[in-house]
Amino acid sequence: MQADIDRVVIDRGQIARRVEAMARELAADLEHDLRATGHAPDESGQIVLVPILTGSLVFVADLIRHLPMKLSLELVAVSSYPGQATQSKGAKMRGELPQNLRGKHVVVIDDILDSGRTLALVKHLVQEQAPATIRTCVLLDKPARREAPLRADYVGFEIEDLFVVGYGLDFDGFYRNLPDIVALRSEVSGAGDANPATAGTADRC
Ligand code: 5GP
Ligand code: MG
């Protein structure tokens, strides 16, 4: 696995510091929202985090341990079929979104904001349930490849148009367990392909 790495893009120390800072910012904003709807942070249970599987797993695990308030998690899975795949195009929910978000303070969380289709889809489905507030939070943002007009409320790092793995992000299902965010060697990821960010995997999540 180590031999497949070309270079470290964001190391574990940078990630840890940034995730803690993001959590502090998010917690302050959520506490503000709770007060605005007449709830105390420790007793409300009004906060629901909606992590998008599987890529956000490691990020969410670290983020929630810096959020000191009462909250629950509702996991969702979305498949994304890049343009060159034959099955379909765009993002598609796998299974149902939980139907208990009305009046809640919802935070949708993903590993990386790329074309924007995944986050746009989940945000839309949450919005339909009339939550009190909806926020979006991503560890990485690749604005160069955006198709849906979307910005995340909380962004860990903005990165160039580069396919990365590690810290939850995969290539063909592997490398999620790498503690740093890295670029793979081009022979491994198929970079040099017309579109390296979609090379190799037809169904990413
Ligand atoms: P979207 O294009 O809908 O914004 O992002 C779809 C999904 O593609 C993301 O949730 C993520 O799982 C995956 N993705 C996008 N860019 C990358 C990348 O550079 N590396 C990896 N491993 N996954 C990515
Ligand atoms: Mg994903």
Side-chain angles (χ1 to χ4, degrees), residues 52-55 76-95 111 114 117-118 121 163 168-174 176 196-205:
I52 302 174
L53 295 175
T54 305
V76 297
V78 175
S79 296
S80 68
Y81 298 93
Q84 69 191 53
T86 48
Q87 293 95 325
S88 69
K89 207 171 177 225
K92 185 167 171 286
M93 285 289 290
R94 290 197 215 154
D111 49 0
D114 187 17
R117 288 189 189 132
T118 303
L121 172 69
F163 188 79
L169 290 105
D170 74 308
F171 175 67
D172 242 355
F174 298 106
R176 293 195 198 276
T198 60
T201 51
D203 181 358
R204 298 178 298 153
C205 59

Side-chain angles (χ1 to χ4, degrees), residues 31 38 72-73 91 93 104 106 118 130 162 200:
E31 278 170 17
S72 62
L73 296 180
M93 285 289 290
K104 298 287 169 62
V106 178
T118 303
L162 172 75

